[in-house]
Amino acid sequence: MTMIGDNLQLVRARIVTACTAAGRDPASVHLLAVSKTFAAEAVREAHTAGQRAFGENYIQEGVAKIEALADLRADLEWHCIGPMQSNKTRQVAEHFDWVHSVDRLKIAQRLSEQRPGGMPPLQLCLQVNISGEASKSGLAPGELAEVARTVAALPRVRLRGLMAIPEPADTLDAQRAPHRALRELMASLNARGLALDTLSIGMSADLEAAVSEGATLLRIGSAIFGARPSFTPATAPAAPVA
Ligand SMILES: *Cc1c(COP(=O)(O)O)cnc(C)c1O
């Protein structure tokens, strides 16, 4: 068994343990392997170990990987989980199966217009800025209902649920609070007539809290593929030479 295969087994075991503790059926929780910054060969290795759904943050990198793994395309599900400029929506609409990071109506409208007719509807989640951080993308909870109603009526996309990236917290209780808030937002949208079934929350560090609050889709990167090189924005000054 490879390292990625071993890690996948450990993550699956964590999910089963968390589901047991929460009295949930493990089949109700889907695992998305976040492969950003890792090579196509790492995805191939995870696929060999039984993983089918993969998440990418950067459009260019994700499309290159999807194309490099074209031989597996019918057996893989590709999820776009990163923020996108509107000039990138066509590439996303033409290559991905899901988008979790829809943070404004215009993006959803463009994805619907640009989704090719021969493909199934693009599956969407609306990203919510659940911790209210100024630096984070996502819809404010107060604007969600109106946007959700409009997106749900678009023809070439299907609104499936909500996604959030909560502020990191150390204790289980602190981790649970934003996850619970997202679950309650989804319940209130469903009470107003929508039929959302996907709560995309939970990452490597907080999957237990997410499962306990009803997550149906966990986005797990480092616990499967290992630590990522730390991200340096292209505009950052070069690090001083030691
Ligand atoms: C990178 C990333 C993840 C995975 O994070 P890990 O802590 O490595 O599990 C999940 N969701 C989003 C949106 C990400 O950008």
Side-chain angles (χ1 to χ4, degrees):
M1 183 69 78
T2 64
M3 182 196 83
I4 290 173
D6 284 344
N7 288 346
L8 269 168
Q9 283 200 344
L10 291 172
V11 168
R12 290 181 192 129
R14 272 176 74 186
I15 295 171
V16 169
T17 302
C19 284
T20 305
R24 297 186 55 194
D25 177 359
S28 67
V29 179
H30 302 279
L31 173 59
L32 181 63
V34 178
S35 44
K36 67 180 178 208
T37 78
F38 291 95
E41 285 318 302
V43 172
R44 194 177 289 281
E45 206 174 307
H47 170 263
T48 302
Q51 180 63 27
R52 293 294 175 266
F54 294 88
E56 290 286 336
N57 278 61
Y58 312 107
I59 315 306
Q60 225 65 40
E61 178 193 342
V63 169
K65 232 172 273 182
I66 292 169
E67 288 177 342
L69 296 165
D71 59 312
L72 299 178
R73 186 66 185 91
D75 204 31
L76 297 182
E77 198 177 85
W78 286 101
H79 295 235
C80 174
I81 61 172
M84 95 193 66
Q85 307 282 310
S86 47
N87 64 1
K88 290 283 163 48
T89 52
R90 182 176 300 279
Q91 277 191 295
V92 172
E94 290 178 350
H95 288 94
F96 284 86
D97 301 300
W98 281 71
V99 181
H100 294 228
S101 41
V102 175
D103 60 358
R104 52 200 192 277
L105 180 57
K106 184 178 168 201
I107 294 289
Q109 287 169 330
R110 289 177 65 92
L111 290 170
S112 180
E113 281 162 19
Q114 294 168 344
R115 181 67 164 174
M119 296 176 84
L122 189 60
Q123 309 294 302
L124 301 188
C125 291
L126 296 177
Q127 183 171 348
V128 182
N129 187 354
I130 201 71
S131 304
E133 294 168 271
S135 62
K136 283 277 170 66
S137 46
L139 292 152
E143 57 185 341
L144 189 59
E146 175 71 23
V147 174
R149 204 165 47 78
T150 312
V151 172
L154 294 172
R156 299 288 303 136
V157 296
R158 184 159 163 234
L159 182 60
R160 295 292 299 272
L162 303 181
M163 178 273 226
I165 309 171
E167 227 172 348
D170 291 334
T171 67
L172 189 67
D173 276 349
Q175 289 176 353
R176 284 179 70 155
H179 294 152
R180 182 180 319 126
L182 196 73
R183 168 165 59 76
E184 287 168 356
L185 277 173
M186 188 163 97
S188 78
L189 293 176
N190 283 341
R192 296 180 187 207
L194 293 180
L196 308 183
D197 62 6
T198 301
L199 209 47
S200 169
I201 46 172
M203 316 204 303
S204 295
D206 64 359
L207 79 82
E208 285 78 10
V211 167
S212 73
E213 292 295 345
T216 67
L217 201 158
L218 304 169
R219 309 180 311 266
I220 310 293
S222 48
I224 296 172
F225 294 105
R228 286 180 295 274
S230 60
F231 178 69
T232 313
T235 51
V241 178

